[in-house]
Structure formats: C-alpha cells, structure tokens
Amino acid sequence: MNICFVNMPLEYYSPVSGGAISTITAELAAELLQIGHGVQIVTYTDSNPTYDMGAVIDLGPMPTLSKPLRAVDRLSRRLLRRPFVGYEQYRRRVRRALRALAPTPNVVVAFNDFAAPRIIRRALPDARTVTWLQNEPPAHRQRDLTDPDAVVAVSDYIRDRTIEAGVPASKVRTILNGVNLNTFHAEGRRQPDRPRVLLVGRLDPNKGFHVALTALAEARAAGCQFETTLAGARWWYGAEEPTPYEIELFKSVESLGGRYVGLVPRGEIADLFREHDLAFVLSLAQEPFGLVVLEAMASGCAVIASPRGGIPQAAGNGAILVDPDDSAAVFSATSRLLKGADELQEWRNRALVHAASASWRVRAESFLDLVESLGAA
C-alpha cells in the first residue's frame, strides 16, 4: 500500500526547522516503511536537511507574499475560510504534486487541515482521505468538517471537541501519539548524588513553568536538595529579547541554583531527559496530547503532570496528575518525590512500563487498521 502525507503549509519536513507535525510524520513514516508500505511526503523545504523517512515530494520554499498578495490572502481566508496564511499558493502546488505522484497513493493524510480533502479528491479521486488532528478543529464550514473519509484525533479530548464541531462520531477515531523507544530510553543514565529536575518546552505561561518553580522553591525551603534545569525558547526558532515572563522564570531558576540551557536541538533532547530524574508537565491549558510526557517517561523520568486535555491519556497510570491551580497539591507531590528516593524510583519505574506500551509501531498499526476499514488497503 502507498501512503502519502501532505505536510502543513507552515512546516518543513526537517529535524532542524520542522515542528511537532513533521516529527510525528517522520515517526509514522519510519514504522510504515518497516512494515513494508510505501510512504511519500509532500512538503515545503528549506536549506536544512529533510528527514530521511519516506520519499520527499518537494514543493519548494514557502512563498513570500508581496503586499498585494497578502491583501488577497487575507480576503481569501475571510471569505473562503482558508485555514492558513498563503494557502492559495500552497493549494496549487499540492494539487500539481499529487497529480504527478508515482506510484499513486491509496490514502492521503493531512494534519490539522479540513480544507485539504477537497484538494486531494480533485487530484486523486480514488484515494481515501484522512484528516489527522493534533489540535482542536479549526473553524470551517460544515461541509469542510464532513469532507474527509475519516478523522483521526490525537486524544479523546480532541475527539470530543471534533464531534462537538460537527464531525459525525462514526468518522472520528482516536489514535494517540507514540514515542520512539530507540531514541528515548533509560540506558546509560547516570546516578546523581541528588535528584535532577527538568522543565522543558516553549516558554509560555500556559506551560505552567512558574507553577513548578514555585513548588520547587517551597520544597527547597522545606529542606529538599535537588538540581534544576529549564530548557526551551519562546518559539521554535527562539526570539531575540526575553519577555517579562521569561525574565521571571530565569530569576526563579537562578534562585534555585539551577541552569537555563535555552532551546535544545531535537537530536539532543533525549540525552537531556536521561540526565534528569523528575520532569514537570504542568500545562494550564487543555493540551491536545502532551508528547513530552511520553518522551520523559521513556527516558526514565518520573513525571508530575496536569490533568488537562489529552495529558491524562498520554500519562496513563505512569505519572502523578495534579491540578496546577492547587499549589498545595503541587508542592505535596513535588516534595514527596524529592524527599523519598524509593517513591521517586517507583514512579520512574511506572513511567518506563507505561512508555513501553506506547511505541510508534503500536500507533502505526492502529492507523493501518483504520485504513483497512476505509477499504484503502
């Protein structure tokens, strides 16, 4: 079977300049190729290397819109409900690329884009179309929502939001994100003299870093000894000047004697996890899933996470879930793990067991089951 992934118009299929969607695509592609299927990736490219999983169909660089084209683009997004900036240029390039594909794909997957199935059908009328939602469904016309043959939701939380948006429940299936157990593992971990705590992700107030740092400060005052690392940047490419929120985070980390290491390249993040014993994922927002939860767990970290959105499904029974608005509960969970070596080790072991059941191979097989049910196999 031949499977084509159409990358989002805001993403490069690159381990350097790509984002979460490209990472997920690459992981699925690797598993599908190992199982024996053909995989094509239709994507914009830049000067950075692309992932080597799948045959890359190059759409060229993202177009730069002139001032008149920007005005037309704004109008088309308002009147035609185009989902992304520059979508008209993207749509034309994708349609040409799909018509030229050889071999012809049996199924075409587009992430977070309900407008894509119509483009796909006009180019490949016999292919099945799947919209894969890693985020809440965008605002589109009703016919857009019902157009794909199937909709994959990254969690039951996203599934419920999708059905509420108007997609028939019979069309929606939950397939959780997975974790690469060859990359994220606990082998070779060092045993530090004191626990090492990691906060990693985009430096956004919704990620709840300030909640974790407050609990850590209280734990230090209560006599807990530990080391702290903060890693991340405002956006994927970082930013020139820190925001007031970031400055406060840096001060909090410094007061704990910790370190801020900035944005860690994707290829180095697994080593960073293996250097730590406890990771926080205290999102204040309704996270669609929380891939960092699984990556931390597979690397041997105990995890304290919030019960928001799809995070509980990502965590399973392998993490401590605590309401980030309940500062006393966050402190209690934090101090228990930092004071009790046995309890910390117990949660690290539970994390490893849960992560072992969440490989990308399991997720790819769930996707193939869906494809078979659509008659595309």
Side-chain angles (χ1 to χ4, degrees), residues 157 281-287 289 304-313 315 320-326 330:
Y157 170 78
V281 189
L282 287 175
S283 178
L284 304 181
Q286 301 291 347
E287 292 280 349
F289 182 76
I304 297 176
S306 62
R308 304 281 173 94
I311 290 176
Q313 273 192 292
I320 297 175
L321 298 179
V322 60
D323 184 351
D325 293 329
D326 187 343
V330 178

Side-chain angles (χ1 to χ4, degrees), residues 263-345:
L263 179 64
V264 178
R266 184 68 187 168
E268 300 174 17
I269 194 70
D271 289 333
L272 182 68
F273 279 125
R274 279 190 287 274
E275 293 174 1
H276 293 82
D277 306 285
L278 171 61
F280 284 91
V281 189
L282 287 175
S283 178
L284 304 181
Q286 301 291 347
E287 292 280 349
F289 182 76
L291 190 57
V292 67
V293 173
L294 280 179
E295 293 175 347
M297 295 169 101
S299 304
C301 293
V303 174
I304 297 176
S306 62
R308 304 281 173 94
I311 290 176
Q313 273 192 292
N317 61 359
I320 297 175
L321 298 179
V322 60
D323 184 351
D325 293 329
D326 187 343
S327 58
V330 178
F331 165 70
S332 176
T334 302
S335 60
R336 285 202 325 269
L337 294 190
L338 293 178
K339 285 183 177 179
D342 290 343
E343 187 164 3
L344 178 62
Q345 185 61 49

Side-chain angles (χ1 to χ4, degrees), residues 31-103:
E31 298 297 338
L32 293 168
L33 287 166
Q34 288 181 15
I35 293 171
H37 300 289
V39 178
Q40 300 154 321
I41 315 292
V42 175
T43 181
Y44 282 135
T45 61
D46 61 2
S47 59
N48 291 298
T50 60
Y51 284 106
D52 59 4
M53 285 76 89
V56 173
I57 314 302
D58 190 355
L59 296 178
M62 292 183 190
T64 301
L65 301 182
S66 63
K67 188 173 181 179
L69 283 178
R70 287 199 300 271
V72 173
D73 184 72
R74 286 193 297 270
L75 186 63
S76 71
R77 278 184 283 138
R78 185 171 71 250
L79 297 180
L80 301 177
R81 299 179 184 265
R82 300 306 191 202
F84 302 105
V85 173
Y87 200 77
E88 291 303 313
Q89 289 78 6
Y90 169 79
R91 180 176 62 87
R92 289 194 291 268
R93 293 191 193 185
V94 167
R95 188 171 56 205
R96 287 196 300 267
L98 291 176
R99 286 173 174 167
L101 285 179

Side-chain angles (χ1 to χ4, degrees), residues 98-140:
L98 291 176
R99 286 173 174 167
L101 285 179
T104 302
N106 304 91
V107 60
V108 183
V109 178
F111 285 92
N112 296 341
D113 185 357
F114 278 104
R118 192 162 302 137
I119 303 170
I120 296 165
R121 282 210 175 91
R122 288 174 179 171
L124 300 168
D126 295 328
R128 297 293 186 266
T129 59
V130 175
T131 300
W132 201 311
L133 291 180
Q134 297 286 330
N135 299 100
E136 294 194 32
H140 282 287

Side-chain angles (χ1 to χ4, degrees), residues 200-250:
V200 59
R202 189 174 70 249
L203 301 187
D204 182 301
N206 281 327
K207 297 299 183 181
F209 293 128
H210 57 290
V211 177
L213 287 167
T214 297
L216 289 170
E218 293 173 349
R220 174 64 55 80
C224 296
Q225 297 299 311
F226 54 88
E227 300 175 22
T228 308
T229 302
L230 173 65
R234 194 181 315 170
W235 301 113
W236 183 257
Y237 295 102
E240 293 182 2
E241 297 296 331
T243 64
Y245 177 74
E246 292 166 358
I247 291 172
E248 288 303 312
L249 292 184
F250 301 154

